[in-house]
Amino acid sequence: MLILSLKEGHDGAIAAVKDGKLLFSLEAEKDSFSRYSTLTAETFAVAADRLDEQPDVIAVSGWIKGTQATDQPSRAGYFGVGESSITDEAGRFFGKNVRVFSSTHERSHIMTSYGMSAFPQDQAFYSLVWEGNIGSFYRIDEYGRVTHLQEVLNYPGNKYSYGFALADPEYSPHEEFVRFQDAGKQMALSGFADARPAGRAEQEAIDFILGQREVITGSLKNRMADSPFHNIGVETQAYKNFAAHLSDAIFNRFHTYAREHLVEGLPLLISGGCGLNCEWNRRWRECGLFPAVFVPPCPNDSGSAIGTAIDAQHFYTGSAALDWDVYTGGEFVEDLPFDPRRYEIRPVSHDEVARYLRDGNIIGWARGRWEIGPRALGNRSILAAPFTEETTRRLNKIKQRESYRPIAPICLEQDAGRWFGGGVPDPYMLYFSQVESDELRAVTHVDGTARTQTVDPTANPEMAELLTRFGELTGFSVLCNTSLNYSGRGFINRTSDLIAYGELHGLDGYVVNGTFITPRQ
């Protein structure tokens, strides 16, 4: 059975699943389209080109006919997890009779983590979905049936991001939405907080934000004009402390419920955009309430097309198990050759690339298919040596990012315990760990943590080989790893964009599939 699944709205994507195997997941923002893009004709055309046959099922993730989750539903709609949240009907697709399946956006998140986890599915699970609009726990039984347990907090992701909007003078009270990009910035700024407890003014602002029952929009800012955090500036110490305390308050609400009610000792599956918060993920993993925790690499809406495909597969076959690889995006497109008069072009030698990085150079690395989900995991990356704060400053300048944004490390999985606390495998860069070496200054955040990606050689042999060679030269099988993209765009995926980007922002070299390219002197 071939299932073609489409997710409309922001973070639009198309995924194809055949007989339980993920063939591809194409996110609309990738290939230098705007971040959080809706589905594009380009995405659909690329998906059609990748398929050798017409699908048997068209699966459409439920969404809304408007801009807010409370607007009129499209297909199965946004909310719901029971039998009424699934539709199945006969349809046609380019002249072929097909089944047309739809299930809610809420179910898409649940099924993403359920189907992508490696846990045996003949057991029950707890599921947590926390995203911009949904903040609930669920129980999945041994047959894959979902029961909603409790809404713990409405709009948790939007309320989290709203702390940044409140403090930022550039965020207008006339905005309809909380900005998608603010959550990651707030996560970075929380690391600068001092250790003091929340004061009265902080607690009042936190209680007011978390107590809102209506959709979180810019108009809330006018109602908080008397707050000491209103337009205070996001780089002030007072805001950084507030950001950390708001983060703690949100997590604690969910943790308190889990401690009191999730007492069966079941594994926890996490999805929704808040599943990208590495500090919260670390706390869930270490809290002792669950024998195991799983977060997929695409817990946000970029994974919803996959989740709906899993839901359709479960509906028609009774199985939600998915065979998948994180590198199932689009192939890198070599649409424009590097000019041999300006560049030296030769086959990749991992030893040579490792020496080039050791000597302080920064390169763009584009090999194979792009990563699913929002984080660069070694196939669409900017790489550098991890040893100096100057490297951090230069990378943030290349990326056109704020100076407070940390740079993540990529590390051989078998060596991670030497430099990062716990040494737990983290192939999808979803947890914070403590840095235990003074020499890794470029990848150590102000609070001593890092968002480490660990690399298993069987999953990414080319990156593992580079890390091995760099480790032999320097003693550290660790590199700086940040996403290869224009500011506000998805991953670069063609040489024409890569050359323009490198020349504009000052990359020192490139690895494109099997070729190493450096400027001629």
Side-chain angles (χ1 to χ4, degrees):
M1 175 183 288
L2 176 60
I3 301 168
L4 184 65
S5 181
L6 303 93
K7 191 273 177 184
E8 59 179 318
H10 65 82
D11 291 324
I14 300 178
V17 170
K18 183 175 182 180
D19 298 332
K21 182 179 177 62
L22 179 65
L23 302 182
F24 60 77
S25 178
L26 305 176
E27 297 148 45
E29 71 170 37
K30 303 289 174 67
D31 196 9
S32 299
F33 285 86
S34 295
R35 288 293 310 276
Y36 321 110
S37 287
T38 60
L39 275 181
T40 61
E42 174 68 13
T43 316
F44 195 88
V46 172
D49 184 65
R50 292 279 293 271
L51 292 174
D52 295 326
E53 58 186 299
Q54 290 195 46
D56 304 295
V57 177
I58 301 297
V60 183
S61 291
W63 197 241
I64 37 96
K65 296 178 179 178
T67 58
Q68 300 289 356
T70 52
D71 286 336
Q72 288 292 103
S74 172
R75 293 286 176 170
Y78 203 97
F79 298 104
V81 298
E83 291 183 4
S84 63
S85 62
I86 293 174
T87 64
D88 166 52
E89 57 189 40
R92 301 269 290 170
F93 186 79
F94 291 109
K96 178 183 177 180
N97 292 330
V98 296
R99 302 307 300 179
V100 179
F101 174 90
S102 183
S103 61
T104 61
H105 182 66
E106 190 169 4
R107 282 189 64 94
S108 77
H109 283 311
I110 296 167
M111 300 306 283
T112 299
S113 57
Y114 179 56
M116 295 182 75
S117 81
F119 303 140
Q121 292 187 353
D122 58 350
Q123 62 178 317
F125 298 91
Y126 291 127
S127 171
L128 168 61
V129 174
W130 50 354
E131 49 128 67
N133 302 296
I134 298 168
S136 291
F137 281 106
Y138 313 80
R139 188 182 188 278
I140 307 172
D141 72 12
E142 59 270 31
Y143 303 104
R145 294 176 299 213
V146 181
T147 302
H148 181 260
L149 297 178
Q150 181 68 43
E151 179 186 73
V152 176
L153 180 67
N154 65 341
Y155 307 113
N158 289 343
K159 288 175 176 177
Y160 177 79
S161 296
Y162 191 73
F164 191 100
L166 175 65
D168 184 8
E170 296 184 6
Y171 181 82
S172 167
H174 302 296
E175 295 273 359
E176 185 177 7
F177 301 107
V178 177
R179 296 172 301 203
F180 295 127
Q181 66 268 29
D182 287 354
K185 296 178 183 180
Q186 180 146 307
M187 185 170 66
L189 286 162
S190 295
F192 290 84
D194 57 39
R196 67 175 184 81
R200 179 177 177 180
E202 285 177 292
Q203 196 59 55
E204 288 177 350
I206 289 169
D207 290 344
F208 185 77
I209 292 171
L210 299 191
Q212 297 302 305
R213 297 303 304 172
E214 303 298 324
V215 173
I216 306 300
T217 64
S219 62
L220 181 60
K221 192 164 184 174
N222 281 336
R223 296 166 58 199
M224 299 189 71
D226 293 335
S227 168
F229 305 102
H230 184 272
N231 288 341
I232 194 175
V234 296
E235 295 197 54
T236 60
Q237 189 60 46
Y239 166 70
K240 293 170 184 175
N241 293 341
F242 174 71
H245 292 136
L246 175 61
S247 176
D248 290 343
I250 293 172
F251 180 85
N252 288 339
R253 288 208 180 187
F254 286 87
H255 181 264
T256 297
Y257 177 86
R259 186 183 66 245
E260 295 176 356
H261 299 282
L262 306 186
V263 295
E264 294 181 75
L266 305 178
L268 177 66
L269 309 173
I270 297 174
S271 51
C274 296
L276 294 170
N277 188 304
C278 297
E279 174 60 18
W280 290 346
N281 289 343
R282 181 192 65 79
R283 294 186 191 186
W284 284 124
R285 187 174 64 185
E286 296 177 0
C287 71
L289 298 177
F290 311 101
V293 173
F294 174 72
V295 189
C298 48
N300 64 336
D301 283 13
S302 69
S304 286
I306 297 174
T308 302
I310 292 169
D311 208 3
Q313 177 182 288
H314 182 260
F315 180 84
Y316 295 114
T317 71
S319 172
L322 186 69
D323 178 10
W324 62 279
D325 185 318
V326 75
Y327 305 106
T328 48
E331 297 281 358
F332 193 80
V333 180
E334 297 186 45
D335 64 335
L336 180 69
F338 285 84
D339 186 345
R341 295 169 298 180
R342 301 178 59 197
Y343 294 97
E344 183 179 350
I345 305 164
R346 64 276 199 194
V348 167
S349 160
H350 293 91
D351 286 322
E352 183 186 11
V353 176
R355 288 194 300 272
Y356 198 67
L357 291 166
R358 178 203 59 187
D359 293 342
N361 295 293
I362 295 176
I363 68 169
W365 174 278
R367 305 201 71 164
R369 293 165 70 171
W370 77 54
E371 305 88 328
I372 60 176
R375 292 189 173 148
L377 302 175
N379 276 17
R380 298 292 182 274
S381 294
I382 297 173
L383 303 176
F387 303 121
T388 69
E389 294 176 359
E390 174 56 33
T391 298
T392 307
R393 288 190 286 271
R394 188 179 167 204
L395 284 168
N396 276 330
K397 183 177 179 181
I398 288 171
K399 292 294 297 291
Q400 298 182 290
R401 301 193 321 172
E402 298 84 357
S403 61
Y404 58 77
R405 303 284 291 276
I407 299 296
I410 188 169
C411 175
L412 275 181
E413 184 176 296
Q414 63 264 35
D415 295 341
R418 298 172 59 187
W419 306 298
F420 303 102
V424 177
D426 187 4
Y428 312 126
M429 202 186 289
L430 292 168
Y431 300 89
F432 283 145
S433 57
Q434 203 70 24
V435 182
E436 298 181 348
S437 170
D438 294 336
E439 296 188 60
L440 298 175
R441 290 182 288 275
V443 295
T444 304
H445 197 26
V446 66
D447 61 355
T449 65
R451 188 179 70 189
T452 310
Q453 181 204 350
T454 60
V455 177
D456 179 343
T458 62
N460 194 331
E462 296 295 335
M463 179 55 65
E465 181 69 12
L466 177 63
L467 290 167
T468 299
R469 299 304 179 204
F470 189 79
E472 291 170 352
L473 287 171
T474 67
F476 291 83
S477 58
V478 183
L479 289 167
C480 295
N481 171 33
T482 186
S483 55
L484 180 60
N485 66 293
Y486 283 93
S487 178
R489 305 277 174 170
F491 298 161
I492 289 171
N493 201 55
R494 56 189 64 236
T495 49
S496 55
D497 285 344
L498 180 59
I499 293 168
Y501 179 88
E503 293 181 350
L504 178 64
H505 295 298
L507 292 179
D508 299 314
Y510 314 84
V511 170
V512 176
N513 291 322
T515 305
F516 184 33
I517 305 106
T518 52
R520 291 192 180 278
Q521 301 300 317

